[in-house]
Every structure is written in structure tokens, then in C-alpha cells.
Amino acid sequence: MSNPVRRARRVLAVAVAGAVLALGVTACSVDSSASNDKPTIRVAYQSFPSGDLVVKNGHWLEDALPGYHVEWTKFDSGADVNTAFVAGEVDFGAIGSSPVARGLSAPLNIPYQVAFVLDVAGDNEALVARNGTGIESVADLRGRKIGTAFASTAHYSLLAALNQAGLSASDVQLVDLQPQASLAAWQRGDVDAVYTWLPTLDELRKDGKTLVTSRELAAAGKPTLDLGVVSAAFADAHPEVVDAWRTAQSRALTTIADDPAAAAKAVAAEIGGTEQDAAAQLKQGVFLAPAALSSPEWLGTDGAPGNLANNLHSAAQFLAEQQQIGAAPDLAVFQRALYLEGLPGAVQ
């Protein structure tokens, strides 16, 4: 369990270190330290069921870019992915929309851009109360201990759920826990409820009651998404790599829709569990058709940023209202943070 103040200090310390490092290296260059002497593309991934895991398992990015070494590094939450971007340690990343809204705001001001929508959160993220606690609704959480990964989409959705029920963060006891740590705390009886995502969520549901899902919160005006982001400097220097990455991700979305068994097999191989479990978990998310990604509702096209920028701006405004960030940047900041070069061609 990490203290939020300690986390903030850590992020700021890493930011300073990253700034110093930037004086000695070129941010847009691809890491060439791989033992095979190929330039390295550094990809941050998370182990939630998504097309990103299908791409990883199938080695599709490696096949599309034989001149590069692709280095995949697992992260536990969006906050950790943000920290890695601040430190200049990754080029691409799978990360939730709330951490992206935070990352594009002060004091982080991370120079990355959104290049893909991996999924829209549905029933794959939820708030669950432990059986035996007597908690039957979100309103019953007053004074209770709730675990969630701070600065994640789950944290954002938890704040939205509390707000909807007439509660604030100060009315409950929030505990900063990554998914696996939240499961351990749950099993010990250290927390009364947890807001988290799959596959940990399925374990909690075996001994708990779902109070609200991210699908329900989206319908109430607080949607969350899992996004694919890329370092702005990397995208400027290597647009062909970004196109190859988006093409691979688009292929994964098509596989989830047209060959769910193959997608489930790949996801199961990456996160463990059975293919049946993976198939059920994939059904709980909302995956867009590749052609929809460049529509006005989502990314948009070059010169015409889509509504995703408004979504991120709204998330930042809510985070500011909840005193999670100092202030929300202007909408233009989020519009510029959409990587639209090559659209719609790269996502067909």
C-alpha cells in the first residue's frame, strides 16, 4: 500500500530525473541498446483483457517491423505508465483515459498523444462490496475502507460513483491498492469494497456484490476508456512505426469481433486462466470497429479532432473538481493530444 503523498513525490522526483536525462539524450530517438543491435521500440502494457494482449501474443508488431526489437514491459496501472513516460522509459503505452487526462494536465504535462482506443469500459471495471459487510449500495460506503489504484480509471470512476451517491472522498477511507494487492487486502478483510478491473474483478465478484459498473457510470455521463498513447517525439520521428502499431491494434479489434475464440486463446495465454474465462471477460468490454476510430465521436481525422478530446477535457475538469489536479487545461490541449496523422487509413 503506497501513500498518495509519497507517490506524488516519486513522480516529481522522476520528472526531475527525466528532465536531466533529456539534456543528454535525444527524446525522439529509438533505444538501440538491444543485444541484437536493432533499434528498440519500448511498449508498456497492462494485463487487462484487450486487443493489446492479442497483438503481443501474436507477435504482430514484431512481424510488421522486422527491423526493430520490440520490448514489452508490464505495468500494474495507468499511474505507473505515466511515471514511465515522464522518465522517458517507454514509447507506446496502454493506459486509461483518466490517467491520460491527468498526464496531460499540470504538473505532469506529459508530451504524449492518443493514437488508439483499445476499448470503452463496460462491465469489465466495477465497484464491489465484500459479502458480510452489510453494504448494499454506494451510499452505504460512508466511513468504509475502499481499495482502488490511485490515478487510474477505477479511481476516477469510484469518485464519480461517490459523487453520484452524494458522498465525497473525505466521507470514506480510500486505500491506494493495485489490483493484486486489493485482492489480498479483500481476502484479509482489510477493505470493505474495491473498485478495480478484470481479471482481478472476477475474483472479487465470487465473494462480493457489484454496486456499480463503469458501463452504468458511462450512461450517467462519466465514461472511461482504455487508450493507446505514443510519445509525441517518437511519433514525429517515426510515423511509419505508429501506423504499423495502429494497424496491428486494428487487426486485434477485428479478431475480437470475428474470431472471439482466437482472441480469448491469446488473452488467456497472456494473463492466465482458461480460454472460457478470457472469452467471458472480453465480452464485458466494449470494443469499437476499427472504422469507427476515425469518426467524429472518437479520434477524428487530421484537422478535425474528434469528441475524444472533449471526453478527456471533461475528465480533467472532474479531476480538478475532486481536487485530484490543480486545474483542467483548455480543450485545445486535448485536441492537440490526439495523434491524427495517417487517419483513417491506418485503422481500416
Side-chain angles (χ1 to χ4, degrees):
M1 180 173 63
S2 61
N3 184 290
V5 174
R6 190 180 303 124
R7 180 185 289 279
R9 289 174 177 169
R10 174 173 169 247
V11 170
L12 289 175
V14 172
V16 172
V20 172
L21 182 63
L23 296 175
V25 298
T26 303
C28 65
S29 63
V30 180
D31 181 12
S32 300
S33 60
S35 59
N36 58 10
D37 294 328
K38 292 181 181 180
T40 298
I41 301 168
R42 304 162 302 173
V43 182
Y45 77 99
Q46 297 188 56
S47 59
F48 54 78
S50 70
D52 198 39
L53 296 186
V54 177
V55 172
K56 178 179 182 296
N57 184 259
H59 304 285
W60 292 350
L61 197 55
E62 291 84 345
D63 291 344
L65 298 165
Y68 293 89
H69 170 70
V70 182
E71 178 182 272
W72 294 82
T73 303
K74 180 182 174 182
F75 290 83
D76 291 328
S77 71
D80 292 336
V81 175
N82 270 345
T83 299
F85 270 104
V86 169
E89 295 174 347
V90 293
D91 305 308
F92 291 90
I95 181 172
S97 54
S98 177
V100 170
R102 185 185 296 264
L104 293 170
S105 304
L108 295 180
N109 298 314
I110 301 174
Y112 55 28
Q113 293 178 289
V114 179
F116 206 83
V117 178
L118 298 173
D119 66 79
V120 181
D123 299 324
N124 52 348
E125 286 193 4
L127 173 61
V128 184
R130 190 163 47 82
N131 289 342
T133 59
I135 299 169
E136 297 295 328
S137 68
V138 177
D140 293 335
L141 291 171
R142 185 183 296 272
R144 301 301 190 102
K145 284 187 177 180
I146 310 171
T148 195
F150 282 11
S152 67
T153 51
H155 186 198
Y156 172 89
S157 294
L158 173 58
L159 294 175
L162 292 173
N163 182 261
Q164 188 180 70
L167 300 177
S168 68
S170 62
D171 292 322
V172 299
Q173 300 177 59
L174 295 183
V175 186
D176 185 9
L177 295 172
Q178 300 294 343
Q180 282 302 306
S182 70
L183 177 59
W186 172 283
Q187 292 169 338
R188 292 192 303 267
D190 292 345
V191 292
D192 302 304
V194 171
Y195 206 125
T196 192
W197 53 86
L198 294 171
T200 301
L201 178 60
D202 270 353
E203 293 299 313
L204 302 179
R205 283 172 169 153
K206 294 176 182 178
D207 187 32
K209 173 184 176 64
T210 299
L211 302 180
V212 68
T213 69
S214 293
R215 186 189 301 273
E216 293 170 306
L217 291 170
K222 289 290 184 291
T224 52
L225 310 93
D226 289 314
L227 304 172
V229 299
V230 59
S231 158
F234 183 95
D236 284 344
H238 307 283
E240 75 289 348
V241 174
V242 182
D243 282 351
W245 175 79
R246 288 197 295 202
T247 298
Q249 295 289 351
S250 296
R251 178 184 172 191
L253 290 181
T254 300
T255 300
I256 291 171
D258 296 345
D259 193 353
K265 182 177 181 179
V267 169
E270 291 297 325
I271 66 176
T274 67
E275 293 177 25
Q276 291 77 12
D277 287 342
Q281 290 167 359
L282 284 168
K283 288 180 181 178
Q284 295 179 57
V286 179
F287 299 95
L288 304 176
L293 292 169
S294 56
S295 71
E297 183 178 0
W298 300 107
L299 284 168
T301 54
D302 202 2
N307 192 58
L308 179 56
N310 300 74
N311 178 292
L312 292 171
H313 183 232
S314 177
Q317 289 176 318
F318 181 73
L319 289 172
E321 291 169 4
Q322 297 293 312
Q323 300 182 337
Q324 296 294 305
I325 59 175
D330 293 338
L331 174 61
V333 170
F334 298 100
Q335 291 175 328
R336 289 194 296 269
L338 301 185
Y339 182 76
L340 304 176
E341 184 174 340
L343 295 181
V347 294
Q348 293 300 311

